[in-house]
Amino acid sequence: MSSTSYGYNVRTERLRVVGLPELFAFLILIGVVCWMLFPRDLSSSLRTARLDAVTFSYMQAWLKAKPDDHELRLLMARELILQGNFVAADDQLQIVAADTNGRYDTQIAWLELRRDFTRLMAIDADNRRGTMLEHETLTRLRAIDWAALNSEKRIRFADMALAMGSVDLAVQAYRRLADSAANPSQWHVKAAKVLLAHGRYSESADAYIAAMDARGNYTVRKRYFLAALNALQAGSLHDKALRLAQARERAFYHDKAVLYRLMTLAQAGGNMPLAEHYAVLLLSLPPVEGSR
């Protein structure tokens, strides 16, 4: 096809840019790219990814396409809290709360606690005491459903309670952790140390004895027994210390170091007959090899 223009013959052919086969191939390519960017398991991939600007953009895009992926919203809220973006985190939590009819209330409550705790810890220790935020955070902490927490969250709960100075909540958490732990003594010892640091000597001794009873190793049991006696003596609770000594002494009749400790404890408590009792036990033990 041609035409005349200003004395020149101009050939005007309509150029075909893309034919049907090429167009079909191009659409397939677009589909592959989209599948690569938004695979069916993208939500699972995003759950294990570190939240950076790119991942956050992917999360937003995914949630626009799948607004009912509430677990991903909760994950996003958690990461936003860790980054200190509390407003954006609240937006996600509100969406989940509004759309799920209470199904995720325990997860939301935990994240709201994490949010308030993170905000509280960002304040200087001298300025956070007595604030409304501290009160609200403690209220949320006490309201948490312990049974709904996994082991990691239970440990974090105890750490949060301790960081906020709530000794009773922290110790209660350690005791609950001990109830379900393969090695309960470690949690009893944590409770004992916290109680001792706060001047609660009798309770500290009880926790050390609980740790002692949870272990079969003699050396470890001995260490916890002596720690319990030391806690009681530090609190000038000589009567309870001597009662404990008499209740548990049989397990240590062969141990000179423990018997000597019990003898000096009885002397410090003014109980000379008991001190003589331990002295007699000491003298009845065979001499140590090479000490003659």
Side-chain angles (χ1 to χ4, degrees):
M1 177 179 177
S2 62
S3 62
T4 303
S5 177
Y6 299 101
Y8 292 93
N9 288 330
V10 180
R11 185 176 179 83
T12 57
E13 278 192 359
R14 179 177 296 174
L15 299 178
R16 189 177 62 183
V17 178
V18 178
L20 286 178
E22 292 87 351
L23 179 60
F24 185 70
F26 184 68
L27 291 175
I28 291 176
L29 178 61
I30 292 176
V32 170
V33 171
C34 289
W35 183 85
M36 291 176 66
L37 290 176
F38 301 100
R40 277 176 285 181
D41 64 344
L42 176 60
S43 178
S44 299
S45 301
L46 291 173
R47 293 172 205 276
T48 59
R50 180 182 178 86
L51 186 63
D52 53 22
V54 175
T55 307
F56 184 67
S57 297
Y58 279 155
M59 282 185 174
Q60 289 179 312
W62 175 262
L63 290 172
K64 284 182 181 178
K66 300 287 271 185
D68 59 345
D69 193 343
H70 302 300
E71 292 183 2
L72 185 62
R73 286 193 189 278
L74 292 172
L75 176 61
M76 179 188 283
R78 186 195 72 182
E79 294 299 319
L80 288 167
I81 289 168
L82 291 175
Q83 293 184 2
N85 193 342
F86 305 118
V87 174
D90 284 343
D91 290 342
Q92 298 302 322
L93 293 177
Q94 289 169 15
I95 291 171
V96 176
D99 292 348
T100 56
N101 197 27
R103 186 153 51 101
Y104 291 97
D105 280 358
T106 54
Q107 291 96 318
I108 292 171
W110 175 256
L111 289 172
E112 288 176 336
L113 169 61
R114 291 287 304 277
R115 176 201 63 201
D116 287 357
F117 178 79
T118 303
R119 291 172 57 205
L120 184 66
M121 291 299 108
I123 301 173
D124 183 76
D126 293 334
N127 296 326
R128 73 174 73 124
R129 300 296 181 194
T131 61
M132 182 59 69
L133 179 58
E134 182 188 51
H135 172 74
E136 290 174 351
T137 307
L138 274 173
T139 300
R140 290 190 188 281
L141 192 66
R142 294 189 181 106
I144 286 294
D145 181 5
W146 177 266
L149 303 180
N150 59 25
S151 296
E152 181 184 351
K153 288 180 178 178
R154 288 176 175 182
I155 295 172
R156 193 177 293 275
F157 177 99
D159 291 342
M160 284 192 283
L162 190 58
M164 296 185 65
S166 183
V167 176
D168 289 333
L169 273 179
V171 169
Q172 182 185 53
Y174 291 140
R175 287 170 179 163
R176 285 174 163 179
L177 282 163
D179 289 340
S180 58
N183 178 20
S185 63
Q186 65 173 319
W187 300 113
H188 289 306
V189 170
K190 279 184 176 289
K193 289 180 177 179
V194 168
L195 289 163
L196 183 62
H198 287 81
R200 294 165 63 167
Y201 304 105
S202 179
E203 294 170 89
S204 175
D206 292 342
Y208 275 122
I209 294 301
M212 170 186 166
D213 291 340
R215 291 300 299 267
N217 181 280
Y218 175 79
T219 302
V220 177
R221 288 171 58 81
K222 171 182 172 179
R223 182 167 71 247
Y224 294 154
F225 176 62
L226 294 176
L229 294 178
N230 290 339
L232 292 171
Q233 197 165 17
S236 299
L237 301 174
H238 298 293
D239 289 342
K240 181 171 180 175
L242 293 178
R243 288 196 301 271
L244 175 61
Q246 290 175 288
R248 300 287 182 145
E249 64 183 25
R250 287 185 178 275
F252 304 100
Y253 277 172
H254 67 288
D255 194 312
K256 285 192 172 184
V258 175
L259 290 175
Y260 184 79
R261 176 74 179 85
L262 296 180
M263 183 184 71
T264 58
L265 177 69
Q267 290 172 341
N271 191 329
M272 299 314 295
L274 189 58
E276 291 176 5
H277 163 69
Y278 292 126
V280 170
L281 290 174
L282 271 169
L283 291 172
S284 68
L285 291 178
V288 178
E289 198 70 32
S291 62
R292 296 176 183 177

